[in-house]
Amino acid sequence: EVQLVESGGDLVQVGGSLRLSCAASGFNFSVTPMSWVRQAPGKGLEWVSGINNRVGGAIYANSVKGRFTTSRDNAKNALYLQMDSLKIEDTAMYYCALGVIPPLGSPPRGQGTRVTVSS
């Protein structure tokens, strides 16, 4: 069974940084492209970033490009999202997902991790 467990969310001030983690199990993580999506309060799911199955090769939404960095550790079955220069509009529940650009019509598999950016 595919399991994705996100962690690392917190309350942070504008301009601050956070590092999110996603622990994956139940599938062959090392050959699976992965991504991060988010859902702001009252809004739908938004794709944030995707990364192929090799180290490197990440792509980003324009809204986070230059501020967020996605990485992975295939030995640990872990996906990461380093978020710098956080903005109010980054406030959301963050989820990891299978695929570089996953379909956004289905609920995320994991419970997500909450990021709140305050002024």
Side-chain angles (χ1 to χ4, degrees), residues 52-93:
N52 61 27
N53 55 302
R54 302 182 301 275
V55 175
I59 57 174
Y60 303 91
N62 287 336
S63 58
V64 307
K65 196 175 296 182
R67 300 187 297 119
F68 289 11
T69 303
T70 291
S71 61
R72 63 191 296 160
D73 186 336
N74 289 337
K76 295 182 178 179
N77 282 9
L79 180 72
Y80 305 104
L81 182 66
Q82 176 67 39
M83 305 189 296
D84 299 316
S85 302
L86 282 161
K87 303 177 180 181
I88 296 285
E89 52 264 42
D90 295 320
T91 295
M93 286 290 288

Side-chain angles (χ1 to χ4, degrees), residues 1-117:
E1 178 187 358
V2 172
Q3 287 197 328
L4 301 171
V5 179
E6 302 90 348
S7 62
D10 205 345
L11 172 64
V12 63
Q13 290 190 323
V14 169
S17 297
L18 280 175
R19 188 192 194 211
L20 306 185
S21 298
C22 169
S25 61
F27 62 101
N28 192 344
F29 178 82
S30 64
V31 300
T32 303
M34 297 291 295
S35 54
W36 288 98
V37 299
R38 67 186 180 185
Q39 187 166 24
K43 297 189 177 182
L45 286 171
E46 175 191 14
W47 175 78
V48 173
S49 175
I51 186 168
N52 61 27
N53 55 302
R54 302 182 301 275
V55 175
I59 57 174
Y60 303 91
N62 287 336
S63 58
V64 307
K65 196 175 296 182
R67 300 187 297 119
F68 289 11
T69 303
T70 291
S71 61
R72 63 191 296 160
D73 186 336
N74 289 337
K76 295 182 178 179
N77 282 9
L79 180 72
Y80 305 104
L81 182 66
Q82 176 67 39
M83 305 189 296
D84 299 316
S85 302
L86 282 161
K87 303 177 180 181
I88 296 285
E89 52 264 42
D90 295 320
T91 295
M93 286 290 288
Y94 284 74
Y95 304 89
C96 56
L98 276 67
V100 174
I101 303 179
L104 301 178
S106 301
R109 294 177 183 269
Q111 85 289 348
T113 187
R114 184 177 301 279
V115 173
T116 303
V117 184

